[in-house]
Amino acid sequence: MSLIEISDLLCLKTISTPVYQPQGDSVLYVENGIVEKTQEYYSSIYLYNSLEKTKECLIHGGKNTSPLWNREGSSFLFLSDETGKNQAYLYTLATGEIKQVSAEKQGLQQIIWHPDNLHFFYSTTRKNENSSEVFITEKIDYISNGQGLLDDEQKNVICQGKLDNFETEEITACSLGYGLHKIMTVSNDGQYLFYERFLLEDSFNQDSGLFRMNLGTKSEDWLSASAKKGMFGEAAISEGGRYVGTIGTPISYHTSNQLGLSVIDLRTQQMTSLSKKLDVQVSDFAVSDCKPTTNNSLLQWSNPLKAFFTLISIEGKVSLYCFSLEGDFESYPEVGPHVYDFTLHPTKPKALLCCSAPDSTSQLLVLDLETRKITKWLNPNQSFEEEKQFAVYQKIEAKANDGGRIPGYLVRPLEKTKQVGAPLIVNIHGGPYTMHGETFHHEIQQMAAAGYFVLLLNPRGSFGYGQDHLKGVVGKYGEEDYSDIMTALDHVLAKEPEIDENRLFVTGGSYGGFMVNWIVTQTNRFKAAITQRSMSNFVSMIGTSDIGYYFFVEENAADIIKPAKLWEKSPLAYVGQVETPVLVMHGEEDYRCPMEQAEQWYRALKYQKKEAKFIRFPNSNHELSRTGKPAFRLIRLKEMMAWFKQHDDITN
């Protein structure tokens, strides 16, 4: 068996957005991958016949996503970027005919059918098309990572379109909360549209609510009004339409607040929490560089079982959970360990699940929700996985200085020099509100294949371990989060004599990049460091990051009027203490952690005559390592491994 290589990134495929045909015999799904010759991404739509166990590619070339059957199962809508922007198309199964049915200048974000099969709803961005070539704004939130400069009149809206012409009707403004999937859904009778929308037109308030519109009268109800604030979305409607499930939180929006599951009784307008017995995060927050974009709803109603189903990030895994209307719940931990997408059978107690594991990039499974029997349907990487050797994730847990938990994983190397101890890389996740989990992560597998132990920690600030663990980092960057990482490292070194404590390395991106910068100002025990899309100066970041004016104010309990604490928390303030060689990697169009953060850090290191190297990736934003240009992702990994090897005395 061969080891994972950097170039293997180009041949990995993932499955997403499975959708049952209304009769339940056939399934549409999306296969995602990279065309090796052109190094461009593709998403193709396949039809899988569950009775004959055959699959057929219906739509190939470009990015084709979000397939949705009509009520008869005779045709489906989907999104395609064939014209350069995502537009809606109709595919007729009997003839194979494809017809474009939308023409929005800014393209479409999401689509759903109207039950009459003649109309559909979609979300899009509307902006001032007559704006000047010079950018003029009076708003504080005028820029966004992945989008660039935002017009002052720009807004996200839901529109209704027709299949027989390009006439559209703008219905309402809308928004999508962090970690949620679906902006809108429609009642089974077609009378009501349910959607998420910001509560205020206030750049400093990110609260959103769940709303319902009567499509006949255009009257609107604020369904989550009893909470008055918070974030609510992802509506799922019960059979008969009396109950609406929603994912959110009644606490004012902040990424450090866990999301829960609630149900609203439309007869009484009463909202009840179904997940109050669980101290967990609803949604998928596992870190991976091979996780596809999913378009299925995160919350779904099962008619056969009269219950809601959703995904929950817990203890390093993402599992399927079922909640009854009475608040009883059960999980399906035998499936996974990382379930990143699912859909429920329309008439039977079954579910289709897209799953990942450290040794498996992506599989499509069928789960009988009553017997818990699992049947494997598709694995697009089966031959690849049979030829490759994968590193094992070993659960570890250390005790924090204050008695709290420091959970994580130790990934063992697949080959190492026998005469000496093996090197170790501490790989720190971003967020900080994400989670290292038991999933396929090409970067981690490649590091293990190169002979490194890899330490994946979920220190305070990580999802999956309860609200207290999550909020332990707020206002305390560089404090207990730093001590958590160093304590867990010492814990592992004490238990693993195979690791050479003189061959330690560290890397991380975003918040993880901040932690790398902070670590090298506090200790010299690492042979080399790689900081990616990082933060170095919170004083300037307040004004340059797309979310800096509110996120970093909340995170550090300080603002630009009283910047002393911002500077106190900035690695740049301590750059003179750095002795570790540092590789700085950053995307030119990163507006979340702007390029100026990398520039300041690199220049300060060089000004102090420290050993440093700077790699800048053109036309790349904050998502470079996950969805960036494939050629750049390969260069990134090659440069990372070369930097570690260069500074490992044993290998030189």
Side-chain angles (χ1 to χ4, degrees), residues 439-471:
T439 187
F440 183 83
H441 198 153
H442 172 256
E443 174 182 315
I444 306 304
Q445 289 292 336
Q446 204 282 316
M447 288 176 172
Y452 294 88
F453 279 90
V454 188
L455 184 55
L456 306 174
L457 296 172
N458 287 317
R460 65 196 72 201
S462 304
F463 277 128
Y465 304 90
Q467 185 64 63
D468 289 343
H469 188 79
L470 187 63
K471 297 199 75 168

Side-chain angles (χ1 to χ4, degrees), residues 383-602:
S383 59
F384 171 84
E385 291 169 4
E386 289 173 350
E387 296 171 358
K388 294 291 181 178
Q389 186 178 356
F390 297 90
V392 176
Y393 279 39
Q394 173 188 336
K395 263 194 167 186
I396 62 105
E397 184 165 318
K399 191 173 183 178
N401 294 339
D402 61 0
R405 302 175 62 190
I406 316 172
Y409 298 90
L410 181 64
V411 184
R412 294 187 171 276
L414 293 174
E415 64 175 24
K416 60 181 182 291
T417 306
K418 294 181 180 179
Q419 293 80 4
V420 294
L424 177 143
I425 299 171
V426 179
N427 196 311
I428 307 171
H429 68 63
Y433 311 113
T434 54
M435 176 185 77
H436 275 310
E438 297 175 41
T439 187
F440 183 83
H441 198 153
H442 172 256
E443 174 182 315
I444 306 304
Q445 289 292 336
Q446 204 282 316
M447 288 176 172
Y452 294 88
F453 279 90
V454 188
L455 184 55
L456 306 174
L457 296 172
N458 287 317
R460 65 196 72 201
S462 304
F463 277 128
Y465 304 90
Q467 185 64 63
D468 289 343
H469 188 79
L470 187 63
K471 297 199 75 168
V473 74
V474 178
K476 299 178 181 179
Y477 278 29
E479 297 179 23
E480 286 89 351
D481 50 355
Y482 166 72
S483 66
D484 279 359
I485 291 171
M486 303 309 291
T487 298
L489 175 59
D490 289 336
H491 170 83
V492 168
L493 291 176
K495 288 183 173 292
E496 298 290 342
E498 292 182 76
I499 301 171
D500 187 342
E501 63 180 13
N502 295 311
R503 299 174 70 191
L504 303 179
F505 303 89
V506 63
T507 187
S510 194
Y511 165 82
F514 157 79
M515 280 307 308
V516 171
N517 295 344
W518 185 264
I519 284 170
V520 297
T521 68
Q522 306 299 309
T523 180
N524 300 326
R525 68 189 298 186
F526 293 97
K527 300 289 291 183
I530 302 174
T531 183
Q532 307 169 62
R533 59 187 192 280
S534 73
M535 303 177 279
S536 64
N537 182 355
F538 287 122
V539 178
S540 64
M541 198 165 183
I542 288 283
T544 57
S545 168
D546 60 348
I547 62 174
Y549 69 94
Y550 68 89
F551 182 82
F552 296 106
V553 171
E554 294 170 344
E555 291 295 282
N556 292 289
D559 62 22
I560 200 63
I561 305 303
K562 296 180 179 179
K565 187 171 183 181
L566 294 175
W567 183 244
E568 177 187 320
K569 293 293 181 182
S570 300
L572 195 63
Y574 313 98
V575 69
Q577 299 170 189
V578 177
E579 298 297 334
T580 308
V582 180
L583 171 60
V584 182
M585 310 179 86
H586 219 97
E588 296 283 0
E589 296 177 4
D590 189 335
Y591 301 130
R592 184 61 39 82
C593 297
M595 175 60 82
E596 57 90 15
Q597 293 289 301
E599 290 172 330
Q600 291 187 71
W601 185 240
Y602 174 73

